[in-house]
């Protein structure tokens, strides 16, 4: 997994939580949704199909783990999983907890209003909570 470089747009919009076996686990800096992003630490990969079978299985296991943790959050009724790559080409997977009446319901979270950023102290606390959950 050498030569991995995180796309600057992902770095600007999210915060590092932990490294999983395959991916960086990142928190989207938007208080409106419980929202994690998994970024496989593989250089120059833009599509799921470019990962080998072992890498795909590791990423799927990480998606399952992170998705179940998001589903366990208070108020989450639906888990959205997406790997669009239309704007940021680097392969990354969004996991977003949703509920009826959230800021974007029933539409997609992308392009639905401006992100509501965490206050610095609250961001550090939220990262620490996710680090505990991922253990």
């Amino acid at each position: 997994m050498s030569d991995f470089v995180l796309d600057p747009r992902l770095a600007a919009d999210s915060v590092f939580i932990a490294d999983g076996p395959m991916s960086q686990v990142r928190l989207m800096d938007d208080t409106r949704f419980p929202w994690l992003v998994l970024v496989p630490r593989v250089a120059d990969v833009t599509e799921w199909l470019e990962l080998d079978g072992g890498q795909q299985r590791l990423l799927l296991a990480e998606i399952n783990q992170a998705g179940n943790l998001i589903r366990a959050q208070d108020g989450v009724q639906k888990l959205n999983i997406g790997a669009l790559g239309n704007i940021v080409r680097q392969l990354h997977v969004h996991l977003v907890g949703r509920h009826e009446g959230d800021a974007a319901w029933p539409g997609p979270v992308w392009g639905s209003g401006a992100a509501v950023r965490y206050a610095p102290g609250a961001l550090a606390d939220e990262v620490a909570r996710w680090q505990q959950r991922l253990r």
Side-chain angles (χ1 to χ4, degrees):
M1 295 187 216
S2 61
D3 300 327
F4 167 78
V5 177
L6 183 67
D7 184 286
R9 291 162 292 194
L10 290 174
D13 291 340
S14 65
V15 177
F16 177 83
I17 296 173
D19 277 325
M22 178 72 193
S23 305
Q24 273 193 9
V25 181
R26 302 186 65 84
L27 173 70
M28 283 298 285
D29 191 3
D30 190 344
T31 63
R32 300 175 301 160
F33 312 98
W35 188 345
L36 299 179
V37 178
L38 303 178
V39 187
R41 293 185 316 277
V42 180
D44 303 320
V45 171
T46 61
E47 304 292 346
W48 169 272
L49 297 172
E50 295 170 1
L51 299 175
D52 67 32
Q55 292 169 325
Q56 288 177 354
R57 286 186 289 281
L58 277 175
L59 181 54
L60 181 58
E62 291 175 338
I63 290 168
N64 287 338
Q65 179 189 18
N68 282 324
L69 290 171
I70 289 174
R71 289 179 63 204
Q73 300 301 296
D74 286 340
V76 172
Q77 298 171 328
K78 177 72 178 91
L79 175 67
N80 289 173
I81 301 173
L84 305 176
N86 295 348
I87 295 173
V88 175
R89 305 265 312 154
Q90 182 174 33
L91 179 61
H92 61 288
V93 180
H94 294 269
L95 297 103
V96 187
R98 303 293 307 275
H99 64 85
E100 289 185 36
D102 71 29
W105 192 267
V109 295
W110 297 278
S112 179
V116 178
R117 304 286 186 179
Y118 288 89
L123 180 60
D125 290 345
E126 189 65 8
V127 167
R129 279 192 289 276
W130 277 107
Q131 288 170 336
Q132 282 293 107
R133 291 176 191 133
L134 287 164
R135 288 188 181 165

